[in-house]
Amino acid sequence: MAIRVYNTLTKRKEEFRPLRDNEVRMYVCGPTVYDYTHLGHARTYIAFDVIRRYLEHRGYTVLMVMNFTDIDDKIIKRANETGEDPKELAERFLRYFLEDMKALKVKPADIYPRVTEHIEDIIEFVRKLQERGYAYEGSDGVYFEVQRFKDYGKLSGIKLDELRKGARVEPGEGKRNPEDFALWKKAKPGEPKWSSPWGEGRPGWHIECSTMSTKYLGESFDIHGGGNDLIFPHHENEIAQTEACTGHEWVRYWLHTGFLMVNGEKMSKSLGNFVTIREMLERYDPEVIRLFVLQRHYRSPLDYTEEGMEHAKNNLERLYNTLENIRVAMERAEISFKWGEEEFEAYEAIRSAREKFYEAMDDDFNTAEAMKAVFEISNAVNRYLTKVERPKESILRKAMEFFRIVSEVFGIFEDYFREQRAGEEEELIRLLIDVRAQLRKERNFALADRIRAELREMGIQLEDTPQGTVWKRVKV
């Protein structure tokens, strides 16, 4: 089946067709690094991590870019409050963000562009907009003239007349119309600043994503993502300035995550109702947090409750218990020459649930429905193991293969399978040591030495001691 995604731009599900065969270019709005990352942010980044993982699982090469806003009003305000240099404050929280994402097993983006490292690119972008008549210089900066872009509002659905109602140009602002937005802000005393054709200053917020995404992904690419709160004004303004600059469609599919809710309100720093990822990691395993996020579709609101976290914790324990049941059962399993009714029943349950898993993920990355399929297989395997005295190895292998897929796509069980692979590797090394010892007894030193040399090239060094042969991992 083809993957279908809900496109915020068209307000409907569409078959996913990237611009280039077998490649997906994706941009996800990253954090403004002025404070610790909270669980609401984690919801978005885990969701897009799974989307990326699934696309890769389906055979696409994904080029993913995520920006860091490392200069902004919020950063300057926070630095003034703490007495820090804005650059040092941003660098510190940028580092904390990457540590938090690593702890949550979110795969790193391929490129993490920073605003402060792309000032010249941003200035050039603004200059082009001014040349094409979409931007003008005011007393306090350079602004984008919204009414010049005829498609303004096509993402959010907002009408320009509605936007103007009750809006006004504040004293000291140099823009012509209340809906216009800043591309370049002229420097104020004590603020970080860079030279530009319009005097010293710094970029506005929206211009950075347009500049850096087109620099690394091209003037048209496949997916632009972020939280629902970015649809307006951030993503709406991005579309206006980018398509005004390039003259053609910019992004093919717009994907947005739903809010993380606390007592009916969006989790946010401004409301003070947030819990940081670091606080969560002190209480819960990272995989519990991932499972909590994945139990709801990425576009749906997700209610944060302690009961919900405990439910995710218990569900994760159930799945690990199933994995251990399979592992233990494999030790007494038999290679099957004949299947009975129990095997056919277990096989059909595994086949059906696996099909449901892919159907759900192909339907706009519906992790909630896909998770139901995971538990169907879990229940089917446990039921099978209670019915048979000696389970068939082929049935257990099919179940374990499915859980490896779940691990690859959902980012859970990774340590479990890594340890399992390490154990299998150690068994193979021990077997080769035994074979080599037998060859030496038979005085077949040439083949024995070849085994030793081949293992050495793989980073395994054999050492013959009076107590026997031991092995160590070495750098090659």
Side-chain angles (χ1 to χ4, degrees):
M1 289 181 61
I3 297 173
R4 292 176 60 80
V5 301
Y6 182 85
N7 190 348
T8 309
L9 184 65
T10 60
K11 312 296 187 292
R12 65 174 183 268
K13 287 183 185 177
E14 303 174 1
E15 183 177 338
F16 180 68
R17 294 180 178 177
L19 292 164
R20 299 176 182 172
D21 290 343
N22 304 316
E23 181 191 13
V24 176
R25 286 169 294 159
M26 177 190 298
Y27 185 90
V28 176
C29 283
T32 300
V33 282
Y34 73 100
D35 203 346
Y36 292 104
T37 313
H38 63 62
L39 191 58
H41 300 131
R43 196 268 170 100
T44 290
Y45 297 124
I46 290 172
F48 280 103
D49 179 56
V50 171
I51 289 170
R52 173 196 185 175
R53 284 169 177 264
Y54 187 67
L55 291 170
E56 290 176 337
H57 175 73
R58 288 290 304 271
Y60 291 103
T61 299
V62 178
L63 176 57
M64 184 170 181
V65 177
M66 179 188 293
N67 71 301
F68 283 118
T69 301
D70 61 347
I71 184 63
D72 179 81
D73 291 342
K74 293 177 181 177
I75 293 171
I76 294 170
K77 181 175 183 293
R78 182 68 181 273
N80 288 336
E81 292 170 351
T82 61
E84 288 182 81
D85 178 80
K87 181 179 179 180
E88 293 177 358
L89 181 138
E91 185 66 31
R92 179 161 58 90
F93 283 111
L94 186 156
R95 186 175 69 253
Y96 292 159
F97 173 84
L98 290 175
E99 291 172 357
D100 289 346
M101 292 301 105
K102 183 177 181 180
L104 290 174
K105 304 185 179 183
V106 172
K107 294 176 69 172
D110 296 297
I111 306 170
Y112 285 110
R114 307 184 188 193
V115 176
T116 57
E117 294 176 351
H118 293 79
I119 299 296
E120 291 303 317
D121 298 312
I122 290 170
I123 289 172
E124 178 61 19
F125 203 109
V126 175
R127 189 187 61 77
K128 286 180 181 178
L129 285 171
Q130 194 172 22
E131 282 181 357
R132 294 173 188 181
Y134 288 96
Y136 61 89
E137 184 177 359
S139 59
D140 60 342
V142 181
Y143 289 90
F144 185 88
E145 192 166 8
V146 169
Q147 64 181 345
R148 296 270 313 198
F149 185 72
K150 303 306 179 186
D151 288 335
Y152 193 83
K154 66 179 181 178
L155 182 70
S156 63
I158 195 164
K159 304 297 183 185
L160 199 53
D161 291 342
E162 296 174 2
L163 191 60
R164 288 173 173 170
K165 289 178 181 177
R168 65 190 183 95
V169 177
E170 296 294 330
E173 286 187 308
K175 56 184 177 180
R176 297 172 183 169
N177 310 294
E179 68 272 11
D180 296 347
F181 57 88
L183 301 170
W184 183 263
K185 298 182 176 183
K186 294 185 178 180
K188 295 178 182 178
E191 290 187 351
K193 58 189 177 183
W194 290 264
S195 297
S196 81
W198 315 283
E200 293 182 326
R202 58 187 172 87
W205 175 33
H206 313 297
I207 194 66
E208 63 182 80
C209 288
S210 294
T211 302
M212 294 188 287
S213 65
T214 54
K215 180 180 177 70
Y216 293 106
L217 299 176
E219 290 188 356
S220 294
F221 57 90
D222 302 301
I223 295 175
H224 193 315
N228 263 343
D229 55 332
L230 297 181
I231 294 175
F232 185 85
H234 186 50
H235 288 166
E236 193 70 71
N237 290 350
E238 282 187 55
I239 291 174
Q241 64 198 10
T242 310
E243 295 188 359
C245 185
T246 64
H248 56 73
E249 183 185 54
W250 176 38
V251 174
R252 198 160 195 175
Y253 304 97
W254 287 86
L255 276 58
H256 292 94
T257 55
F259 294 132
L260 186 70
M261 311 296 289
V262 182
N263 297 323
E265 292 185 304
K266 171 197 165 189
M267 180 178 285
S268 69
K269 291 173 182 173
S270 60
L271 294 174
N273 62 349
F274 67 94
V275 54
T276 68
I277 294 172
R278 302 203 156 205
E279 291 169 336
M280 293 297 297
L281 289 171
E282 290 176 359
R283 301 168 55 197
Y284 295 103
D285 185 274
E287 293 189 356
V288 172
I289 299 173
R290 289 185 73 96
L291 203 64
F292 171 73
V293 167
L294 299 178
Q295 70 186 355
R296 293 281 287 172
H297 189 280
Y298 77 91
R299 285 191 289 113
S300 301
L302 174 61
D303 293 317
Y304 169 71
T305 64
E306 291 298 322
E307 293 80 7
M309 292 300 302
E310 288 300 319
H311 182 67
K313 180 181 178 182
N314 293 336
N315 279 341
L316 186 66
E317 289 175 356
R318 283 173 56 195
L319 294 176
Y320 267 108
N321 186 57
T322 299
L323 286 172
E324 278 297 281
N325 289 344
I326 295 172
R327 185 189 64 79
V328 172
M330 286 288 276
E331 296 176 2
R332 58 186 172 88
E334 61 178 355
I335 295 176
S336 54
F337 296 97
K338 181 181 178 181
W339 275 8
E341 182 180 335
E342 294 84 359
E343 280 72 39
F344 280 105
E345 180 182 320
Y347 169 78
E348 179 57 28
I350 293 171
R351 185 205 63 77
S352 175
R354 179 169 170 153
E355 187 176 279
K356 291 176 184 176
F357 177 86
Y358 280 106
E359 286 177 353
M361 292 303 294
D362 284 345
D363 184 16
D364 195 29
F365 313 106
N366 193 336
T367 57
E369 287 299 314
M371 191 60 71
K372 292 179 183 177
V374 176
F375 281 102
E376 281 187 26
I377 287 188
S378 176
N379 294 336
V381 170
N382 288 324
R383 188 165 57 247
Y384 169 68
L385 292 176
T386 63
K387 288 183 177 181
V388 297
E389 185 174 341
R390 288 199 68 189
K392 299 295 191 287
E393 185 263 353
S394 57
I395 294 294
L396 300 180
R397 188 177 65 248
K398 290 182 189 303
M400 193 63 86
E401 286 171 353
F402 174 77
F403 278 107
R404 286 183 187 274
I405 292 171
V406 174
S407 175
E408 180 184 334
V409 174
F410 284 177
I412 56 179
F413 315 137
E414 290 181 327
D415 293 339
Y416 182 89
F417 283 115
R418 191 177 296 114
E419 290 171 4
Q420 190 179 76
R421 283 193 297 271
E424 291 169 354
E425 182 186 59
E426 290 179 12
E427 287 182 16
L428 179 59
I429 292 170
R430 284 193 291 269
L431 174 61
L432 289 171
I433 288 173
D434 291 342
V435 170
R436 176 174 174 271
Q438 184 61 37
L439 289 170
R440 285 162 63 87
K441 284 181 182 180
E442 297 170 0
R443 305 188 66 78
N444 190 345
F445 296 113
L447 189 53
D449 289 345
R450 182 179 173 185
I451 290 175
R452 180 175 188 166
E454 292 285 347
L455 285 172
R456 183 65 177 77
E457 288 189 12
M458 296 167 58
I460 305 298
Q461 180 173 298
L462 302 186
E463 296 180 1
D464 297 315
T465 71
Q467 292 76 33
T469 301
V470 297
W471 63 274
K472 297 177 180 178
R473 296 188 188 276
V474 294
K475 289 185 178 181
V476 293

